[in-house]
């Protein structure tokens, strides 16, 4: 009969413990390497990241963020700080002065109102907090003094308030929780309702206001320098004795179409799509208007208390509408889309300036 030594049984686990721990460590290391490798080479179009988790700008391999010690200070539009060349921003209670010291009648010359929802689940258009911040920077670059944002989120984790804290803190953004109007969604109840609320609460604070969506960008081919939109409106105000009788300017709608470029290399939305319709795509214009003249706001044409409406020539101030691959069911470019569009890279100087926000030193 074989006799077992119980002391040897007790010692066996201790002798095996070190090799076992080493084996587990090696397996964990291998899994970590594989996971990192998968993330580096993953196709951005197949990413499972939710829109609300893509807050930070994505820097491509050719856009490395420099350290703060060598980075240039951020331009004013990166966080919505005042642009001295247009008007000194103030609080609602103050009466500002321009660079000549002359008092202005309203705290803001140009504001924008935006009703928006950033979806919790994957959005085929890839419009996320990142793209929302890009749009705010663009409005600031264009000379906007203030933005009234209505956050029509459905789920709590879709709320954009935390992601927009820098713009709120700078005084550039007034954030309104619009959750109670998010469902059931309708253009009248949700979006035009936000415009009406903005008009009733703050309509007397600005001379001009812009009402567009976050994939719509006002653009002036003849002027792409910072402050172009505010400068255009100031020049319009003094262009003729009858200019004051025009209460709304309608920007014609040019669709930017086609499969977007790689988001990892082109993180800014307007840098991903460079083909537009050869002519205005439809009659769905978007307005720049005098808030004091609006009786009832709407999406494309406001009901006016006084004044007239002017449809701007397509070569003048227009709206670049970034639809992307919608007309091709989010797939590859089709011959139909290619034939109805043309390459237009006139936004390149603005894109270059917006990329400065990803490599500058924050205030």
């Amino acid at each position: 009969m074989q006799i077992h030594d119980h002391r040897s049984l007790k010692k066996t686990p201790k002798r095996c413990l070190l090799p076992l721990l080493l084996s587990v460590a090696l397996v964990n290391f291998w899994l970590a390497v594989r996971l990192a490798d998968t993330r580096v080479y993953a196709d951005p179009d197949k990413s499972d990241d939710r829109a609300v988790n893509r807050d930070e700008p994505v820097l491509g391999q050719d856009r490395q963020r420099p350290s703060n010690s060598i980075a240039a200070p951020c331009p004013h539009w990166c966080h919505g700080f005042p642009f001295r060349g247009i008007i000194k921003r103030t609080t609602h209670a103050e009466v500002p002065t321009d660079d000549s010291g002359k008092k202005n009648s309203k705290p803001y010359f140009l504001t924008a109102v935006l009703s928006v929802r950033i979806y919790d689940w994957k959005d085929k258009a890839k419009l996320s907090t990142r793209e929302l911040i890009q749009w705010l920077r663009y409005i600031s670059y264009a000379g906007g003094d203030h933005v009234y944002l209505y956050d029509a989120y459905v789920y709590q984790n879709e709320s954009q308030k935390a992601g927009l804290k820098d713009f709120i803190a700078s005084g550039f953004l007034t954030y309104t929780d619009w959750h109670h109007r998010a469902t059931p969604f309708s253009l009248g109840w949700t979006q035009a309702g936000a415009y009406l609320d903005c008009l009733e609460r703050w309509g007397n604070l600005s001379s001009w206001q812009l009402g567009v969506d976050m994939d719509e960008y006002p653009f002036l081919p003849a002027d792409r320098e910072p402050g172009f939109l505010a400068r255009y409106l100031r020049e319009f105000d003094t262009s003729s004795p009858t200019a004051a009788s025009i209460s709304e300017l309608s920007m014609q709608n040019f669709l930017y179409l086609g499969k977007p470029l790689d988001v990892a290399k082109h993180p800014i939305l307007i840098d991903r799509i460079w083909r537009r319709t050869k002519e205005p795509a439809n009659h769905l214009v978007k307005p720049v208007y005098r808030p004091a003249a609006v009786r009832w706001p709407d999406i494309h044409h406001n009901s006016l208390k006084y004044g007239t409406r002017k449809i701007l020539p397509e070569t003048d101030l227009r709206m670049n509408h970034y639809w992307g691959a919608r007309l091709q069911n989010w797939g590859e470019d089709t011959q139909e889309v290619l034939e109805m569009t043309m390459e237009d890279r006139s936004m390149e100087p603005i894109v270059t300036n917006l990329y400065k926000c990803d490599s500058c030193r924050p205030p």
Side-chain angles (χ1 to χ4, degrees), residues 115-309:
S115 174
V116 65
R117 177 189 175 188
I118 300 297
Y119 288 85
D120 177 39
W121 59 82
K122 186 175 181 181
D123 179 17
K124 290 183 178 180
K126 299 186 183 300
L127 299 181
S128 67
T129 308
R130 175 183 57 200
E131 283 71 29
L132 179 55
I133 289 174
Q134 293 168 8
W135 184 87
L136 290 170
R137 288 171 173 170
Y138 187 94
I139 297 302
S140 181
Y141 180 93
D145 297 304
H146 199 79
V147 171
Y148 299 99
L149 186 142
Y150 287 75
D151 191 357
Y153 64 90
V154 173
Y155 305 105
Q156 186 61 45
N157 63 341
E158 292 179 342
S159 171
Q160 298 300 299
K161 187 174 183 179
L164 302 176
K165 61 183 183 299
D166 288 342
F167 291 91
I168 297 172
S170 73
F172 180 70
L173 178 69
T174 294
Y175 174 91
T176 299
D177 188 316
W178 209 234
H179 169 69
H180 62 287
R181 289 287 191 106
T183 54
F185 173 84
S186 74
L187 291 177
W189 169 254
T190 309
Q191 189 167 350
Y195 294 174
L196 178 61
D197 183 80
C198 181
L199 191 68
E200 291 176 341
R201 296 168 69 185
W202 302 297
N204 64 328
L205 299 180
S206 54
S207 300
W208 287 93
Q209 189 164 84
L210 174 72
V212 296
D213 297 330
M214 67 170 284
D215 60 351
E216 297 172 340
Y217 288 71
F219 179 62
L220 186 62
D223 184 359
R224 294 167 289 179
E225 296 299 315
F228 70 85
L229 181 54
R231 188 161 44 249
Y232 174 88
L233 293 172
R234 288 184 184 279
E235 292 174 358
F236 175 82
D237 280 341
T238 58
S239 61
S240 72
T242 60
S245 66
I246 299 176
S247 299
E248 182 171 290
L249 301 175
S250 297
M251 300 179 293
Q252 299 203 54
N253 182 20
F254 284 82
L255 294 179
Y256 275 67
L257 302 172
K259 183 179 179 180
L261 299 174
D262 185 353
V263 66
K265 296 180 180 179
H266 305 270
I268 293 182
L269 174 64
I270 60 176
D271 184 31
R272 292 179 221 156
I273 309 167
W274 292 100
R275 296 188 67 86
R276 65 163 174 85
T277 51
K278 299 174 183 178
E279 299 176 349
N282 48 47
H283 66 282
L284 300 178
V285 298
K286 283 297 178 75
V288 186
Y289 50 89
R290 303 183 193 272
V294 176
R295 174 183 290 109
W296 191 267
D298 209 337
I299 309 302
H300 302 288
H301 298 287
N302 294 310
S303 173
L304 301 175
K305 291 186 290 188
Y306 60 83
T308 60
R309 181 181 298 110

